[in-house]
Amino acid sequence: MYLQKMFSCSQLLARPNALQTFRRAASQSKNPSSSPFLTLHAVRKWSNVPFFTVPLARAHGKSFGHRSELRQAKRIVVKLGSAVVTRGDECGLALGRLASIVEQVAVLQNQGREMMIVTSGAVAFGKQRLRHEILLSQSVRQALHSGQNQLKDMSLPVLEARACAAAGQSGLMALYEAMFTQYSTCTAQILVTNLDFHDDQKRRNLNSTLHELLRMNIVPIINTNDAVVPPPEPNSDLQGVISIKDNDSLAARLAVEMRADLLIALSDVEGLYDSPPGSDDAKLLDTFYPGDQHSITYGTKSRVGIGGMEAKVKAALWALQGGTSVVIANGTHPKVTGHVITDIVEGKKVGTFFSEVKPAGPTVEQQTEMARSAGRTLASLEPEQRSDIICALADLLTERKDEILSANKKDVEHAVSTGRLSPAMLKRLSLSSSKLNSLSIGLRQIAVSSQDSVGRVLRRTRVANNLELEQITVPIGVLLVIFESRPDCLPQVSALAIASGNALLLKGGKEAANTNRILHELAQEALSIHGVKDAIQLVSTREEVEDLCRLEKMIDLIIPRGSSQLVRDIQRAAKGIPVLGHSEGICHVYVDHEASVDKAIKIVQDSKCDYPAACNAMETLLVHRDLLRTPMFDQIIDMLRTEHVKIHAGPKFASYLTFSPSEVKSLRTEYGDLECCIEVVDSMQEAIDHIHKYGSSHTDVIVTENEDTAEQFLQQLDSACVFWNASSRFADGYRFGLGAEVGISTARIHARGPVGLEGLLTTKWVLRGEGHTVADFSEQGSMTYLHENLPVAQVLPGRRTTS
């Protein structure tokens, strides 16, 4: 059953504004019969439906230069290719896929955007309908004349496309109507042919009709009138004007005529590739620029429809020249169809974006390839050569400190003037001569440790006679480090990457752009000593972090350095790439009833007040119940008040007080400031249970003079760092003697705690034989396994291996 609700006279009279609108539209055509066919479908009440309006104002005439600007798109054309709308058997519509697309269009429409749809599908819908009718007719006839036993011999005639289009148009539109009505959105159907664009009067009528529909917050649904359209003529484009051969050219022509900001062309491929999709070397192009056509090899066209990728590119470039931005993307992938349109409008890296603005430097994909290639050379260098590079960088940090501090001053002054950074973040952003000196010392420590890193033999086994196996350390590959407001992170991570032979992609916060730029230049200057300048790349393009996290075929490990929110966002976005880090630093200090007063006060003060914004700062102070109302407890409280630490009382602590501080909202809070929670526990075991329940497995401390109690705490607590009578602030790669760290990991595998050089290495197995086969060790074979452990020695010169 096909539902199609048309406006009745009574409905129109009840809506005088609508009636006036239709009168105006009709009066604008001197010959109404020559206007494109227009049918309005009532799919929502014409009451004032509230919707969120985004501020969208843009002078048309020039397309967007960058994806991030697509958020400003006001008028959007969505083209649905035949492969998107139809099922795999080409007979009927892909209803689930179509419903998700309708939902996205309705959401954008209700944001205040002007949405138009150019759709295929009438032929497929009509084919399904006509096949049903023919089968029904044949079955009745054969049942009357030949009996039921011959029904299985029925065959279907070849259906003419125009007839299918005529039979399918009404059903297709009724389906759109039923779907859009779920979102209180009104639609209108418009059928056009190429002649409607060649006739000036018809084109003006079409333009006027579409503008009026958009003004009334209606979504026009446009299609070529395939029931009457003639076959496309080859090479029939007029000079400077694209002819309507398919829905690709229709969408492009319509987008330019209507001065649309964005054309989204959905097909059954991810976007535009530099060679036919499916070929071994095919690479998806994130951005395509006019003039790059010579680098493209086109494959076969889609399984349905009359266009192909070449037709799409031609239509896209024509629309781009007319001032409309274009994105070609996959509308059939089940994992992305539900948000492909909204993702594109939000500026995410989906499909291929057509742009007239070519970036001055390489794309992030090109940077990654450059880094990987140079990284392999870096890994093949001798340890002494990698050490030379790190020492050179350490020298540059002190020799060029005036340049560094001048750039950093610009960043700090800009941050202060905008007021966007908290005092703690400003402190992280600021560099000083002493900080640079400390960095230089740390880098020299890394240079020493790099002498014994890549190519180190961890295990040797004699598998059988003349068959030896080695497990050897190798670089991970390409690292992506994303960091906020911490320019000192750049030389630290660079040195660790150099020492471990890894390629490095850096994405720093814009608040430190000037400092990061000079520090990266110094890193590349040091790398140039041995011809591996490109091994470390700084991403300076408008890449969103979420887009970087999707480069799973190019990046091997992501290391976030920043707020817990940044880490959580990256862990959520990086679906195919491992993430090394911790989402929170909820560190505890437990003061036992047998603690030293002096040690307890010093450790609590240093853990909380030395650097409150650090991830290894104390956030919760656990106090043994027996210490309440003792001089030790009073001295700890007085010290915290003197340091201006805001105290939040845990539930149990609050129950002991008549007038308590503000009660904590959550025992699982990382304050990152001069604030902390105080809670009371009855025993060391209760302290451990509390930490396991509310902690983040980062760093936890016990203060006690009882060695047995301390050892139980150290053994039972499952955190990356566990300390006895020492400040939580010692959880740091530099303080551990690692030279520096790329971060602190709370993961259970690979690396845990402060991650230095060792955490950036993986292993590979090297087997050396003399024609051995597994068959030699079978029951009928002549050899037996020995599996003897051999002394571990370093890899001999000439036998070094890399990833």
Side-chain angles (χ1 to χ4, degrees):
M1 180 178 180
Y2 301 93
L3 300 175
Q4 186 172 15
K5 299 181 180 178
M6 309 295 291
F7 277 121
S8 65
C9 291
S10 60
Q11 287 175 313
L12 286 173
L13 290 173
R15 302 171 176 81
N17 291 339
L19 183 58
Q20 292 170 8
T21 299
F22 279 100
R23 284 174 177 166
R24 282 198 302 273
S27 66
Q28 289 171 353
S29 174
K30 295 180 181 178
N31 182 10
S33 63
S34 68
S35 300
F37 175 67
L38 172 65
T39 305
L40 265 181
H41 296 265
V43 288
R44 71 167 170 85
K45 295 181 179 179
W46 286 57
S47 57
N48 292 323
V49 179
F51 56 84
F52 171 71
T53 303
V54 291
L56 302 166
R58 172 177 175 265
H60 191 273
K62 189 175 182 181
S63 60
F64 296 119
H66 305 278
R67 281 185 183 268
S68 59
E69 297 172 348
L70 296 180
R71 298 185 183 96
Q72 304 172 31
K74 166 74 173 177
R75 185 170 292 170
I76 302 172
V77 176
V78 178
K79 181 261 175 180
L80 306 179
S82 299
V84 176
V85 178
T86 61
R87 297 198 312 241
D89 60 4
E90 303 175 24
C91 185
L93 303 181
L95 298 180
R97 190 185 303 150
L98 203 57
S100 67
I101 290 171
V102 165
E103 180 180 14
Q104 295 171 78
V105 171
V107 167
L108 294 173
Q109 178 82 0
N110 289 335
Q111 288 178 354
R113 305 180 199 267
E114 297 174 344
M115 305 298 296
M116 293 178 279
I117 295 177
V118 175
T119 183
S120 303
V123 173
F125 203 3
K127 185 185 293 185
Q128 180 188 41
R129 191 176 182 184
L130 292 179
R131 280 184 176 180
H132 176 77
E133 293 297 329
I134 292 171
L135 282 172
L136 183 62
S137 175
Q138 288 182 348
S139 63
V140 171
R141 287 198 303 270
Q142 291 194 17
L144 291 174
H145 296 93
S146 306
Q148 295 289 341
N149 58 333
Q150 295 185 14
L151 289 180
K152 61 183 179 181
D153 298 327
M154 290 188 301
S155 60
L156 288 172
V158 176
L159 298 174
E160 206 273 332
R162 292 189 185 90
C164 292
Q169 279 291 354
S170 61
L172 176 64
M173 194 59 210
L175 185 62
Y176 274 119
E177 172 192 344
M179 289 181 175
F180 272 106
T181 193
Q182 304 299 317
Y183 305 98
S184 299
T185 302
C186 189
T187 60
Q189 181 186 28
I190 299 180
L191 299 177
V192 297
T193 66
N194 199 22
L195 298 176
D196 295 322
F197 289 92
H198 287 182
D199 186 291
D200 290 341
Q201 183 60 50
K202 290 181 179 180
R203 196 168 71 251
R204 284 194 293 269
N205 290 342
L206 174 61
N207 191 289
S208 176
T209 299
L210 288 171
H211 274 94
E212 190 64 18
L213 292 173
L214 294 177
R215 189 189 68 80
M216 295 163 62
N217 199 33
I218 295 172
V219 177
I221 298 178
I222 306 108
N223 194 2
T224 52
N225 192 353
D226 294 328
V228 298
V229 68
E233 298 179 14
N235 303 318
S236 61
D237 292 352
L238 300 176
Q239 185 173 4
V241 179
I242 192 169
S243 63
I244 309 303
K245 301 184 181 72
D246 48 44
N247 275 344
D248 294 311
S249 52
L250 169 60
R253 183 69 184 268
L254 188 71
V256 173
E257 290 277 352
M258 293 298 294
R259 302 172 69 85
D261 300 313
L262 174 62
L263 166 60
I264 300 174
L266 298 183
S267 182
D268 57 353
V269 292
E270 302 299 325
L272 183 60
Y273 289 79
D274 58 358
S275 57
S279 58
D280 291 339
D281 298 326
K283 292 183 180 179
L284 178 66
L285 301 178
D286 168 63
T287 308
F288 185 79
Y289 306 98
D292 286 353
Q293 296 95 314
H294 64 279
S295 63
I296 304 299
T297 303
Y298 297 104
T300 58
K301 74 179 187 69
S302 168
R303 62 175 173 82
V304 289
I306 60 174
M309 185 53 74
E310 188 170 6
K312 290 175 176 57
V313 172
K314 180 179 179 181
L317 291 175
W318 189 86
L320 187 67
Q321 186 179 10
T324 297
S325 297
V326 183
V327 175
I328 296 177
N330 192 338
T332 64
H333 197 295
K335 291 185 177 180
V336 300
T337 300
H339 46 81
V340 60
I341 298 173
T342 51
D343 280 355
I344 290 171
V345 176
E346 289 173 8
K348 295 180 181 179
K349 269 195 173 182
V350 179
T352 300
F353 172 60
F354 285 70
S355 174
E356 294 182 301
V357 180
K358 210 160 190 175
T363 66
V364 67
E365 290 84 2
Q366 291 169 334
Q367 283 186 291
T368 308
E369 290 290 349
M370 292 162 59
R372 185 181 290 279
S373 177
R376 286 176 175 145
T377 304
L378 173 67
S380 68
L381 296 178
E382 293 298 321
E384 295 78 11
Q385 293 175 302
R386 289 194 296 272
S387 180
D388 290 343
I389 295 172
I390 300 169
C391 288
L393 179 56
D395 291 338
L396 288 170
L397 290 178
T398 53
E399 293 171 5
R400 308 269 285 274
K401 67 178 180 180
D402 290 341
E403 292 178 54
I404 299 170
L405 295 177
S406 175
N408 185 247
K409 184 180 178 182
K410 293 179 183 178
D411 290 329
V412 173
E413 289 176 348
H414 179 71
V416 171
S417 65
T418 57
R420 293 177 181 175
L421 296 183
S422 65
M425 295 293 279
L426 277 174
K427 188 176 180 181
R428 286 186 175 183
L429 176 62
S430 302
L431 292 180
S432 62
S433 295
S434 61
K435 269 191 177 182
L436 291 176
N437 288 334
S438 296
L439 279 172
S440 180
I441 294 171
L443 263 58
R444 294 185 188 283
Q445 290 179 344
I446 297 173
V448 173
S449 62
S450 68
Q451 299 283 343
D452 184 26
S453 55
V454 180
R456 186 172 78 255
V457 179
L458 301 178
R459 177 177 178 175
R460 294 181 65 221
T461 303
R462 179 178 288 115
V463 179
N465 289 329
N466 298 319
L467 185 64
E468 289 191 9
L469 177 69
E470 291 178 337
Q471 185 184 18
I472 299 175
T473 58
V474 294
I476 290 174
V478 179
L479 312 177
L480 167 61
V481 177
I482 302 170
F483 55 101
E484 294 177 324
S485 306
R486 293 194 62 172
D488 58 332
C489 172
L490 194 152
Q492 289 179 337
V493 173
S494 296
L496 287 170
I498 294 166
S500 57
N502 284 292
L504 180 61
L505 204 62
L506 293 159
K507 174 66 173 176
K510 60 183 178 182
E511 64 278 353
N514 294 298
T515 315
N516 289 338
R517 185 161 44 249
I518 181 65
L519 291 173
H520 176 247
E521 289 174 3
L522 298 181
Q524 289 202 319
E525 185 176 330
L527 287 163
S528 299
I529 294 174
H530 292 292
V532 286
K533 173 184 175 182
D534 291 336
I536 296 179
Q537 298 286 328
L538 179 66
V539 179
S540 56
T541 57
R542 299 188 183 190
E543 300 295 328
E544 297 290 343
V545 169
E546 187 173 343
D547 292 329
L548 292 172
C549 292
R550 293 176 178 173
L551 300 175
E552 68 274 1
K553 294 181 180 179
M554 310 181 78
I555 293 171
D556 300 294
L557 179 67
I558 299 177
I559 306 171
R561 296 288 306 271
S563 66
S564 57
Q565 186 60 50
L566 171 71
V567 178
R568 283 194 295 270
D569 290 344
I570 291 173
Q571 288 173 334
R572 191 163 39 244
K575 305 206 180 289
I577 311 175
V579 178
L580 189 151
H582 63 280
S583 59
E584 293 173 308
I586 305 175
C587 303
H588 296 73
V589 173
Y590 165 57
V591 180
D592 187 54
H593 66 290
E594 296 182 81
S596 160
V597 175
D598 293 338
K599 290 178 184 177
I601 294 173
K602 283 180 60 180
I603 290 170
V604 171
Q605 181 181 31
D606 190 73
S607 296
K608 179 70 259 183
C609 307
D610 176 67
Y611 194 177
C615 64
N616 57 12
M618 181 194 78
E619 303 295 4
T620 298
L621 173 62
L622 298 177
V623 180
H624 193 284
R625 180 188 59 189
D626 293 348
L627 294 179
L628 292 179
R629 300 184 179 89
T630 66
M632 179 191 291
F633 181 74
D634 292 341
Q635 289 178 56
I636 292 174
I637 296 298
D638 290 342
M639 178 274 296
L640 291 174
R641 285 174 176 165
T642 301
E643 295 286 350
H644 306 290
V645 177
K646 183 178 180 180
I647 297 173
H648 302 276
K652 199 169 180 179
F653 179 44
S655 68
Y656 285 95
L657 304 175
T658 305
F659 300 101
S660 67
S662 61
E663 189 165 343
V664 69
K665 295 180 180 178
S666 170
L667 290 168
R668 194 179 284 110
T669 301
E670 182 179 17
Y671 298 100
D673 207 341
L674 286 173
E675 296 181 62
C676 74
C677 168
I678 297 180
E679 184 58 310
V680 175
V681 293
D682 293 338
S683 64
M684 180 270 293
Q685 188 59 52
E686 187 176 330
I688 291 176
D689 294 341
H690 178 102
I691 295 170
H692 282 161
K693 184 174 182 179
Y694 299 109
S696 60
S697 301
H698 191 294
T699 301
D700 299 290
V701 176
I702 183 172
V703 183
T704 185
E705 295 303 300
N706 188 312
E707 184 175 353
D708 291 338
T709 301
E711 288 300 329
Q712 288 182 52
F713 185 90
L714 297 178
Q715 295 299 321
Q716 294 181 31
L717 193 62
D718 183 23
S719 294
C721 300
V722 189
F723 300 161
W724 173 25
N725 286 347
S727 168
S728 64
R729 293 277 291 119
F730 278 104
D732 175 82
Y734 173 76
R735 297 183 180 107
F736 278 11
L738 305 179
E741 65 183 34
V742 294
I744 294 181
S745 172
T746 56
R748 297 295 197 276
I749 58 173
H750 180 58
R752 202 163 189 230
V755 180
L757 178 58
E758 292 292 328
L760 299 182
L761 295 170
T762 185
T763 65
K764 72 176 179 182
W765 298 89
V766 177
L767 185 65
R768 296 181 175 89
E770 295 183 358
H772 292 75
T773 66
V774 172
D776 295 334
F777 297 86
S778 65
E779 292 182 2
Q780 293 77 30
S782 60
M783 302 191 73
T784 58
Y785 289 108
L786 299 177
H787 293 148
E788 297 175 357
N789 291 329
L790 300 175
V792 172
Q794 292 305 305
V795 177
L796 298 175
R799 290 173 59 188
R800 183 175 306 281
T801 58
T802 59
S803 61

